[in-house]
Structures are given as structure tokens and as C-alpha cells.
Amino acid sequence: MAEFTMELNDEQKEVRDWLHGFAADVIRPAAAEWDEREETPWPVIQEAAKVGIYSLDFYAQQYFDQTGLGIPMAMEELFWGDAGIALSIVGTGLAAVGVLANGTEEQIGTWVPQMYGDANDVKLAAFCSSEPDAGSDVASMRTRAVYDEAKDEWVINGTKTWATNGGIANVHVVVAVVDAELGSKGHASFIIPPNTPGLAQGQKFKKHGIRASHTAEVILDNVRVPGSCLLGGKQKLDERLARARERAKAGGERVKNAAMATFEASRPAVGAMAVGTARAAYEVALDYAMTREQFGRPIIDNQGVAFQLAEMATQIDAARLLVWRASWMAVNGKPFTAAEGSMSKLFASETAKKVTAQAIQILGGNGYTREYPVERMHRDSAIYTIFEGTSEIQRLVIARTLSGMPIR
């Protein structure tokens, strides 16, 4: 087990600087264009694949970094560049985490490489959990997976929504109900291979922020997948469902479902994304305050501005500390006994919203225009308090964990 540290080693610093350079030289110059176009920035993704950022090898190196700092450091730098483009680059990672969290070694080795492809043939993946009537309330999920024993196939029907890369991905990971009586405990995750009949893209959403990231509905109409596409395998699922039924009869402890296992693993990473956006807005505001003059002096000479910047910097550092602690705990098998993963996402996402709003205020009228990036950063920041568990859900998780009470 690696000791917790806030000091990056030489190799991590080298990677950080490399990512920062890519974010500054490739992502930022393209950010405004792809935000306006509201399309997947394929040229930027392909460039990221060419240099090795969009690749299974790079993701695996950061994911298995025993200090826990690889993923949050990478996320912060990329999202410092631009949240919409960065999400297009890292969106496949959520589906990969879904397989890593729930799949067998064979499934991981088979499907995760297919989610990325290579520099000459870039692929995408999508994780599909939310539904029109089941976002935070995962127990209301309606997508059903029924096992056809004669053919050793699963038949999946339903509609997913808010899926990053949904419909345009080569590989989809879909969470579905296999035992409705068990509520959220009766869920399982499935791989939908490329070109599987019955899977189609539904509505593509026009969004307030992260507009360079493709978000859409995914329609599943009698989608048939081999039994081998059930993550974890049939035996493991049957054993888990049997335990859940026994616990339900006895009124015992809760069992985590497949979607929640994925979200728990990824929440600190979302916190790191928020830190990157917040840091970017802060740096723009600081530079502006140092150079913008009013009444014959830089506006940072005014305490009203200087104190705001001091608070912004403090909140960003605090958010990073929480994210790095949770990331280290997750990698080293430390249980989130105080909901540290949810704490990191909650604080970092709320910080991003507040800091980007303060940045607009410091820039004044300029901050409200698209001539300066803080307007876009503020729009982008709103998503962090919504996706992969709203701020309200994070508070609920934290309160339940701390109290042991079934708070509603």
C-alpha cells in the first residue's frame, strides 16, 4: 500500500506537464469552436489518440497508480483545458470503469481494448444507467434484461438517457433490471457489442454546458447479447441475487448494485474534473485582476476583488485535497467509512460553480460575454453538481454513512 502524499513524484510531474501542454496547445484553442458547434470534437480526440492520451495504456497507467493521484491529476489538467472537449476524451473511461468494477478478467481483457481502438481507428464507449424516470432513483429503473436459457442469451428492452457517447459509441455498457422484486439490488450490467441489432440512438440533447460532449438517449428494442456479455457472469449474478433475497427476507444490510459500484469508483474523478474547471476560471480572473485598471490602478488593489481571489484559491486547494485523499483511499482499498468519495465530489463540484461565478463577477461585463472563457466555464461547471449523483444525493449518502440512519 502506498503512503498518502500530496507531493507528485518526478514521473507524475512529467505526465502532468505533458497533459498541461496538450490542454494548452490543442484543447484550449479548439474549445470555443466545438462549444458553438455542439458536436463531438473528433479531430481533438484523434490527436489525443495519436499522442497516447486517448488510449487504454495511458488510462490503465493512471488507474493503477498506487498513489491514487494518476487519475485526478490527469482529469484536472484536461478539464483545465476545456470541460466539453475533455469529457469527449475521457467519457469512454466511465464505461471502462463499469467493466473493471463488475467484469471478469476475461471480459476486461476482451472489451476494454475495444472501447478505445487505436490511433488509426479510434473507438468510443458509453455507460448507460440513467432513464427518463430513473436518475437518482435507480430503484425505478425500467430497462429489463430477461435470460433466454435455450440460447444462452439476454434480451434487453428499455430506454436510457443522459448517456455520454450514447448511440455513437462502439461499445455500450448497459445497466438493466434482472429481478424487479429486489429493486436496485436486482440490477446487472451488460456489454452491448458493436453493431448489435436493436440498439439505436434516440434524442440528442442540446445542453447548457459541456456542449462538445455528445449526450443522447439510447433505445434498446429486443437487443440480444450472448450470456458472456453479462458482467461478472451468470453464476456470480445468481449468487448475488440469492444473497439479496435472503437479506431482504431478514431485513438485513443493503447490497450495492452495479451502477452504484461504478459511480463510487468514479466520483473522486468527477471531483478532479471540477477542480480543473475551477482552477482555469480562477487563473483567468487572477490575470484579469492583475492587468485590468480602474481609477488608475489594477482592480486587484481593491480588497473586494483580492479577498474573492483569496477565497477562490483556498476553496480550490481544499477541493483538491479531498479529491486526492478519496482517490488514494479507493486505489488502496480503504473503505469510505465517512463517505469520503461523495465528500470529494460534493465539495469540488460546488466549488466549481461558485468559483466560475466569482470569476464572471471579477471580469464584470467582459465575463458575461463569449469573448472571455469564464462564461463557458460557468456553464460547464453546472454539470458537476448534477451528473454521477447530484449534490443532494451526495449529501444524502454522507448523512446516511455518518449516522447509519435511513435518511430520506
Side-chain angles (χ1 to χ4, degrees):
M1 181 181 70
E3 293 294 325
F4 179 65
T5 177
M6 291 298 298
E7 180 68 29
L8 297 177
N9 60 40
D10 290 342
E11 183 178 350
Q12 290 168 328
K13 289 177 182 177
E14 185 177 340
V15 172
R16 179 199 60 192
D17 294 345
W18 172 52
L19 291 171
H20 187 81
F22 184 86
D25 298 338
V26 181
I27 294 178
R28 280 203 169 180
E33 175 188 352
W34 292 100
D35 177 71
E36 291 287 346
R37 291 175 63 166
E38 298 190 54
E39 297 174 357
T40 301
W42 284 107
V44 183
I45 298 173
Q46 289 167 343
E47 187 65 24
K50 188 184 300 182
V51 300
I53 293 173
Y54 185 82
S55 70
L56 173 57
D57 286 346
F58 175 75
Y59 188 82
Q61 286 173 10
Q62 307 316 310
Y63 185 85
F64 292 110
D65 179 350
Q66 286 303 300
T67 70
L69 303 186
I71 288 293
M73 175 267 296
M75 295 298 175
E76 180 177 336
E77 293 304 328
L78 293 173
F79 280 74
W80 173 90
D82 176 69
I85 292 177
L87 191 57
S88 289
I89 294 173
V90 307
T92 290
L94 183 58
V97 168
V99 177
L100 290 167
N102 301 295
T104 64
E105 289 187 8
E106 182 179 357
Q107 289 169 330
I108 292 169
T110 298
W111 293 110
V112 176
Q114 294 187 47
M115 293 178 172
Y116 289 92
D118 57 45
N120 297 316
D121 187 18
V122 173
K123 306 293 185 183
L124 299 175
F127 183 75
C128 307
S129 177
S130 294
E131 298 185 1
D133 297 317
S136 298
D137 182 13
V138 293
S140 297
M141 191 176 291
R142 296 181 180 178
T143 298
R144 296 289 188 268
V146 178
Y147 185 56
D148 183 342
E149 190 171 358
K151 295 184 177 181
D152 185 27
E153 292 180 340
W154 288 90
V155 185
I156 307 173
N157 284 280
T159 299
K160 294 296 181 180
T161 194
W162 311 123
T164 299
N165 297 333
I168 65 171
N170 302 89
V171 178
H172 291 74
V173 177
V174 173
V175 182
V177 177
V178 294
D179 190 328
E181 293 183 358
L182 293 175
S184 62
K185 304 176 189 67
H187 296 176
S189 291
F190 298 85
I191 291 284
I192 313 298
N195 303 315
T196 299
L199 185 147
Q201 179 183 309
Q203 175 187 5
K204 178 187 174 184
F205 296 103
K206 296 180 73 66
K207 306 187 297 297
H208 175 64
I210 55 166
R211 301 197 304 193
S213 173
H214 176 97
T215 310
E217 291 182 328
V218 174
I219 313 299
L220 301 128
D221 182 13
N222 285 323
V223 170
R224 284 183 168 268
V225 298
S228 59
C229 287
L230 166 65
L231 290 180
K234 185 73 163 55
Q235 181 178 344
K236 184 177 178 180
L237 172 65
D238 289 341
E239 292 172 353
R240 178 167 62 81
L241 294 179
R243 290 195 302 271
R245 293 186 190 103
E246 289 300 318
R247 285 172 176 144
K249 290 178 183 177
E253 62 186 275
R254 295 181 299 134
V255 179
K256 294 174 184 175
N257 62 66
M260 289 302 101
T262 300
F263 290 143
E264 280 194 14
S266 62
R267 276 173 180 158
V270 176
M273 298 174 189
V275 171
T277 299
R279 190 184 112 213
Y282 161 75
E283 289 177 1
V284 172
L286 177 63
D287 181 68
Y288 187 88
M290 296 282 287
T291 56
R292 171 71 166 172
E293 291 192 0
Q294 290 286 279
F295 306 105
R297 61 182 184 178
I299 63 173
I300 199 170
D301 278 357
N302 301 296
Q303 284 188 2
V305 174
F307 284 9
Q308 282 193 73
L309 288 161
E311 183 179 352
M312 292 157 74
T314 301
Q315 289 176 329
I316 291 167
D317 268 14
R320 186 183 296 109
L321 279 165
L322 286 171
V323 166
W324 283 20
R325 179 186 67 169
S327 300
W328 172 80
M329 291 177 68
V331 167
N332 287 281
K334 296 281 188 179
F336 290 157
T337 56
E340 290 88 350
S342 289
M343 282 184 179
S344 70
K345 183 194 182 282
L346 171 64
F347 190 82
S349 59
E350 294 290 344
T351 293
K353 284 186 68 174
K354 184 175 181 180
V355 166
T356 55
Q358 287 176 302
I360 290 177
Q361 195 68 23
I362 290 171
L363 269 67
N366 285 328
Y368 199 66
T369 71
R370 294 191 181 180
E371 296 301 312
Y372 287 80
V374 291
E375 173 272 340
R376 184 180 69 251
M377 293 168 183
H378 184 53
R379 285 189 286 108
D380 291 341
S381 70
I383 194 60
Y384 300 129
T385 64
I386 297 172
F387 72 175
E388 293 196 50
T390 63
S391 286
E392 291 74 21
I393 288 296
Q394 306 308 324
R395 292 184 179 101
L396 185 63
V397 170
I398 295 166
R400 284 176 173 174
T401 304
L402 296 176
S403 68
M405 302 294 289
I407 299 168
R408 290 177 173 82

